[in-house]
Amino acid sequence: MTNRFPSWLRDVLGRMAASKSWQEVLRTPKFHKQSLINGVINDMTKDELKDQLKSLEKDERCDKKGNKEILQKRLKLHYRHLKSTPSRRSASAIVSNEQQPFDYLCVLDFEATCDDAHDFEKYPHEIIEFPVVLINTSTMETDGEFHRYCRPTLNPILTEYCTSLTGITQAQVDSSNEFPIVFREFETWLHGNGLGTESSFSFATHGSADIDKFLRHQCAINEIRFPDYAKRWADVRRHYANFYGVSARKCSVTGMLDGLEWKFEGREHSGIDDARNIAKIVVQLMKDGRTMTANDQLN
């Protein structure tokens, strides 16, 4: 078993084991063996972490981009899975579709009417952009998108603040259908992709506001029965913070991208661009070994 670890790690662990032989070290409880490896990894510099991940580049899990905490997580997971499997399978193969609870994830990021006072009682939010990116959790690829704009009815004229923030123009919403029609189109799209019938799926969002606030309020405004499939969802921000061990305060969309050493692609607060960037983060989480459960629910 020891030959499955590179010489640098065997040498360091050998010194840490002091008077113990390798056989004695490997006969200790599993958590203790892993703690020795974790201790070595915790003492590495970022450059050392990248060098070790580079030597494992055949393993899809061992991406070299990311801050120090993320690189440490990847290297620890690599050795944890290596020690727990009988063959030298790629660690990314461990994260099979069987471990993901859903066949597909629908990454959702609504944009809504707003003003600079942020007073919902005086200016209730209405959904004006309905974007979804469909991720196949087996292939970890994007299998499609749904994207529509919606015409608001309570406050049909967009504020300058809203247009400046989202990039959505008055002409775009004026030429679009109202939410009930767009919602029916979305459900037709779901059924057309076999979602909820042939394949299981969950929404994936950045936080809870998209569903617990925007979708819930919009269904109430239009007297639409809230869909059962939206009552639980995967909160990507929470998954990211818990998995990589970072503060939730660092988990804005741009903050998560920064942690992965990626740049935001497109226009921030454009619903479809936000959804595409969040989808990239979701895919990386799965590649790194995260099981994307429905970890949030309607209040």
Side-chain angles (χ1 to χ4, degrees), residues 191-253:
H191 298 320
N193 283 282
L195 301 176
T197 53
E198 301 168 13
S199 305
S200 61
F201 78 98
S202 171
F203 281 125
T205 66
H206 179 248
S208 61
D210 287 284
I211 295 177
D212 199 24
K213 181 179 180 181
F214 297 132
L215 182 58
R216 183 164 62 88
H217 291 162
Q218 190 68 58
C219 286
I221 289 170
N222 295 124
E223 299 182 344
I224 296 171
R225 181 178 179 274
F226 192 90
D228 289 338
Y229 58 76
K231 291 180 178 178
R232 289 183 59 82
W233 63 91
D235 182 340
V236 178
R237 179 170 58 188
R238 186 180 298 177
H239 274 295
Y240 184 101
N242 291 344
F243 186 67
Y244 293 125
V246 299
S247 168
R249 291 177 296 178
K250 297 181 179 180
C251 291
S252 64
V253 175

Side-chain angles (χ1 to χ4, degrees), residues 65-296:
K65 276 196 170 185
N67 61 27
K68 186 175 180 180
E69 291 79 8
I70 289 176
L71 299 182
Q72 286 174 335
K73 181 77 173 183
R74 288 189 186 133
L75 197 54
K76 290 175 184 178
L77 282 172
H78 172 82
Y79 288 113
R80 182 179 303 164
H81 287 302
L82 188 65
K83 291 185 328 89
S84 63
T85 53
S87 64
R88 292 194 180 191
R89 288 188 296 161
S90 166
S92 61
I94 306 299
V95 192
S96 65
N97 192 39
E98 294 177 0
Q99 287 184 281
Q100 295 297 339
F102 303 103
D103 299 319
Y104 290 89
L105 291 171
C106 290
V107 181
L108 170 70
D109 193 85
F110 291 127
E111 296 301 328
T113 56
C114 54
D115 66 359
D116 54 4
H118 304 292
D119 188 337
F120 178 76
E121 296 297 328
K122 294 182 179 178
Y123 197 96
H125 299 300
E126 294 176 87
I127 292 171
I128 54 174
E129 186 178 4
F130 196 138
V132 175
V133 176
L134 181 62
I135 297 175
N136 183 322
T137 62
S138 178
T139 63
M140 300 190 191
E141 299 286 344
T142 297
D143 274 9
E145 293 182 348
F146 176 88
H147 186 216
R148 301 285 192 279
Y149 293 103
C150 309
R151 185 168 73 250
T153 57
L154 299 180
N155 292 288
I157 305 301
L158 302 183
T159 65
E160 291 184 10
Y161 174 81
C162 182
T163 295
S164 174
L165 179 69
T166 66
I168 299 171
T169 67
Q170 189 66 46
Q172 284 176 308
V173 296
D174 285 345
S175 62
S176 299
N177 291 316
E178 295 177 4
F179 181 83
I181 295 174
V182 172
F183 187 68
R184 287 198 295 272
E185 292 176 344
F186 170 69
E187 293 207 310
T188 298
W189 178 83
L190 283 180
H191 298 320
N193 283 282
L195 301 176
T197 53
E198 301 168 13
S199 305
S200 61
F201 78 98
S202 171
F203 281 125
T205 66
H206 179 248
S208 61
D210 287 284
I211 295 177
D212 199 24
K213 181 179 180 181
F214 297 132
L215 182 58
R216 183 164 62 88
H217 291 162
Q218 190 68 58
C219 286
I221 289 170
N222 295 124
E223 299 182 344
I224 296 171
R225 181 178 179 274
F226 192 90
D228 289 338
Y229 58 76
K231 291 180 178 178
R232 289 183 59 82
W233 63 91
D235 182 340
V236 178
R237 179 170 58 188
R238 186 180 298 177
H239 274 295
Y240 184 101
N242 291 344
F243 186 67
Y244 293 125
V246 299
S247 168
R249 291 177 296 178
K250 297 181 179 180
C251 291
S252 64
V253 175
T254 53
M256 292 189 292
L257 291 170
D258 286 345
L260 294 165
E261 295 189 341
W262 293 345
K263 298 295 185 183
F264 189 97
E265 295 182 0
R267 186 191 196 283
E268 291 184 46
H269 300 297
S270 157
I272 189 61
D273 287 342
D274 284 350
R276 287 167 180 164
N277 281 275
I278 296 167
K280 287 177 57 181
I281 295 166
V282 169
V283 169
Q284 190 61 53
L285 276 163
M286 291 192 293
K287 286 182 176 180
D288 282 345
R290 184 64 169 179
T291 301
M292 296 299 294
T293 57
N295 60 348
D296 206 350

